[in-house]
Amino acid sequence: LAIQFFKNVCPALKKYDNVIYEICNEPNGGTSWTTIKQYALEIIPVIREYAPEAVIIVGTPTWSQDVDIAAKDPITEYDNIMYALHFYAATHKDSLRDKCKTAVAKGLPLFVTEYGICDASGNGAIDEAQANRWIELLDGYGISHAMWNLSNKAETSAMIKSGCAKTSNLTANDLSAAGTWFVNMMKNAGLGSEDWVMPEPEEN
């Protein structure tokens, strides 16, 4: 099914040079790196047929946490391959940061394609101190990261307040605590304005 999915999707995306392909989100249930790697080697050539230079992100075992294991036996058959690391700051602390450091030391290119500043359930209390430690580590290594999630769902990880029904023209007052932290983090990195407003969606 995955092969057929990418055979259907990739031709429609081949004209775009800004598409990143993540081929499996959070392998879990005891899935080994050997199995994940075998799967990746079946999927990557399908994508490469249409996107020979696109970045392809491969998940890692245990909900994309065991990047240290992947670093011992990386994919060498193709270029422009990165490996997913996911964390939730209130749950994943020094032990997972150590895995990150080990993978980087071995030269494994990482992309944090999902993270939150609450616990791993997507709910619970926010831990800004641990979140800030993660961002300091990622910025120190130059690792890109994408925060989960841009929604108004009634849970801690949502970046928009659950009572907000807007679909455009969001302002700072519409942000949840997680959203406020994210915007402030981006501002501190020099990537946002002081008078933050979400832009209007583009016309299709």
Side-chain angles (χ1 to χ4, degrees):
L1 290 178
I3 290 175
Q4 190 58 53
F5 171 81
F6 284 105
K7 283 184 176 180
N8 291 340
V9 168
C10 291
L13 299 176
K14 66 180 182 179
K15 64 181 178 180
Y16 300 102
D17 61 5
N18 60 344
V19 175
I20 297 174
Y21 296 85
E22 184 169 5
I23 62 174
C24 180
N25 180 55
E26 294 194 339
N28 59 72
T31 305
S32 69
W33 171 243
T34 299
T35 299
I36 295 168
K37 184 177 179 181
Q38 181 180 4
Y39 164 79
L41 290 174
E42 294 176 5
I43 300 299
I44 291 171
V46 177
I47 298 173
R48 282 285 176 259
E49 182 179 350
Y50 302 98
E53 297 183 357
V55 171
I56 296 175
I57 299 174
V58 179
T60 55
T62 317
W63 289 272
S64 287
Q65 294 173 44
D66 293 339
V67 290
D68 55 328
I69 294 175
K72 295 177 182 178
D73 183 26
I75 294 166
T76 58
E77 290 85 350
Y78 298 93
D79 294 327
N80 289 350
I81 305 299
M82 302 188 76
Y83 300 81
L85 171 64
H86 291 180
F87 71 84
Y88 281 81
T91 299
H92 306 119
K93 303 177 183 180
D94 284 340
S95 61
L96 186 53
R97 282 191 287 267
D98 287 343
K99 287 177 177 282
C100 175
K101 293 174 185 178
T102 296
V104 170
K106 290 182 176 295
L108 198 74
L110 302 180
F111 194 133
V112 177
T113 55
E114 177 184 329
Y115 75 94
I117 63 174
C118 55
D119 68 37
S121 71
N123 227 325
I126 285 172
D127 192 332
E128 290 195 8
Q130 289 293 326
N132 292 337
R133 288 186 65 183
W134 269 109
I135 296 303
E136 182 180 4
L137 178 70
L138 299 179
D139 286 352
Y141 285 138
I143 296 174
S144 296
H145 46 88
M147 186 169 168
W148 179 265
N149 69 76
L150 184 61
S151 78
N152 64 347
K153 188 176 181 181
E155 64 179 29
T156 314
S157 65
M159 287 192 267
I160 301 170
K161 291 177 180 177
S162 61
C164 177
K166 295 179 182 178
T167 57
S168 62
N169 296 321
L170 292 170
T171 69
N173 291 329
D174 299 314
L175 298 177
S176 67
T180 299
W181 175 89
F182 176 79
V183 169
N184 288 335
M185 180 270 293
M186 296 291 280
K187 286 179 180 177
N188 290 337
L191 300 173
S193 68
E194 289 303 316
D195 299 319
W196 179 86
V197 178
M198 179 174 279
E200 288 275 10
E202 294 182 1
E203 294 287 341
N204 289 329

